[in-house]
Amino acid sequence: MSTPTLLMADVDDLERKKNEALENKWGLRHIIGIMGFFAVGIGYIHRFCLSLAITEMVRSHSKEGKIDVESCPFVLNTTMVIQHTGEFNWGEETQGLILSSFFWGYVINQLPGGLMAERWGVKWVLGFGMFVSSMATLLTPVVSRTLGAWGLICLRIAIGFGQGPLYPSLNVLMSNWSSANERGRLGAIVFAGAQIGNFVSMAISGLIISSLGWTGVFYIFGGIGIAWLIVWLFVYYNSPLEHPYIKEDERTYIITTSGKTHYKDLPPTPWIPILTSVPLWGLIIAQVGHDWGLFTIITDLPKYMKSVLHVSVKENGVISGVPYLGMWFFAILSGWVVDWMIVKLGWGISLVRKMFISIASIGPAIGIVAASYSGCDKVLTSVFFIFGMTIMGAFIPSLKVNALDLSPNYAGTLMAIVGGIGAISGILTPYLVGVLTPNSTLLEWRLVFWISVVVLMGTNIIYLIMGTAKTQWWNDPDQVRSYTEGKEKSKEKETA
């Protein structure tokens, strides 16, 4: 009577060992992950390369006679800083509108992009979005010179619209191509592309601008986007079931361990359960706080380094870019640590996610405050910014994959909701910075940084209370069908 039990145990043990071997073996899913990495990297270059370029595009304005007792010394012994080096006469508020306009289009197309990626597949939805982003980037110099600030704002909205499906699509990609046991690592590979993109958009842009002028940034990075698109169309297929070149053992491994239900047709999206989900709203609030801190730094750190610390464009690019290289490294390291804690140590997924999301909030808060009180010391300021933004990398294998924890089947929709609402921070922060720093003084910027710290810490506390990594009941298509049928029967009884 015990033989079948032993045989079943042996089969389970063999299956477990086979899966462990596949986890440590390079496969097509990793190549797909690298393509996702480059998609995120190029997308972030397109969205944020303007942050550094605009410091050379515009003319610096006078300080309106305002005296900042903690202002950093400049070449001239005066409180008036006037440099007529740029082509465009755009004030701080106008620059804030230009920098925030990307997120207007980005927010609008998050949810539609996620729904399209889930229903029609990632290949063409993401591919078309990146085509729009690349072409609009290529057109930036021409549009800026011919149509001015409002033309550039419209173009930036188009770039945002094209990139709206980026994160929702990549969450669908992850749900199709990643094992639940590898989600932290593969997620770190894919989503850490943002940090490399930020580094390139700052550090490399500084070198390009110093040698080719600000227009070179948009021509080079727009062209790279088109090159990625060509490779993407040949390499990517929407799932392991469709890919003609995947090995059968890897296909089986992904399908059986992903946690995704492989129905040809999912039931209608359960909007009411999703939108009333407490864990989802905890994740949304955490995303808002993270994006507030991140977008404040990404979009406005180059302006701070130039207007407050008076660094050159080369220095500015390096100083503004290095923090994201540190964030990328820490994201990859965190991804391995997260999976090790969950798989090897047996820690609860919710505990690990909350731990790393908290690290990603506390670290940046400390770094931002310390940098704002470092005065005119460029080295010390840079060290604190690098420290804070490096530690923020812990959000990649925690915050960015939490939507997959809640629902692998509706990951695109969840990420669209989370990313769309979170991206509102990207609309508010650049414009708020423009309003709060009309004279670009150290004291004005200190207030900006303190606001970011309060938002980061407050939203993190809320997530600790509301958040979880437990898969929600509405992820199961059969339960969703039962729920829908129950609602319909209740309506029939009410009308009878």
Side-chain angles (χ1 to χ4, degrees), residues 365-377:
I366 294 172
I368 289 171
V369 170
S372 71
Y373 284 93
S374 298
C376 301
D377 190 326

Side-chain angles (χ1 to χ4, degrees), residues 48-114:
F48 291 123
C49 63
L50 181 64
S51 299
L52 183 63
I54 201 169
T55 64
E56 299 301 309
M57 292 167 65
V58 302
R59 302 172 189 172
S60 297
H61 292 266
S62 71
K63 302 298 185 183
E64 300 176 0
K66 299 290 182 68
I67 298 176
D68 178 13
V69 294
E70 297 188 35
S71 63
C72 300
F74 196 63
V75 177
L76 302 175
N77 186 24
T78 174
T79 58
M80 302 292 287
V81 180
I82 305 176
Q83 292 175 290
H84 298 286
T85 57
E87 296 182 33
F88 307 104
N89 189 27
W90 299 332
E92 292 295 332
E93 286 193 36
T94 301
Q95 292 179 52
L97 284 172
I98 292 171
L99 291 173
S100 70
S101 57
F102 166 89
F103 294 96
W104 305 352
Y106 187 66
V107 168
I108 291 171
N109 204 24
Q110 283 267 318
L111 187 55

Side-chain angles (χ1 to χ4, degrees), residues 19 178-183 252-260:
N19 286 343
S178 70
S179 162
N181 295 331
E182 295 181 297
R183 196 154 285 157
T252 303
Y253 166 67
I254 296 171
I255 292 171
T256 57
T257 60
S258 66
K260 185 178 178 69

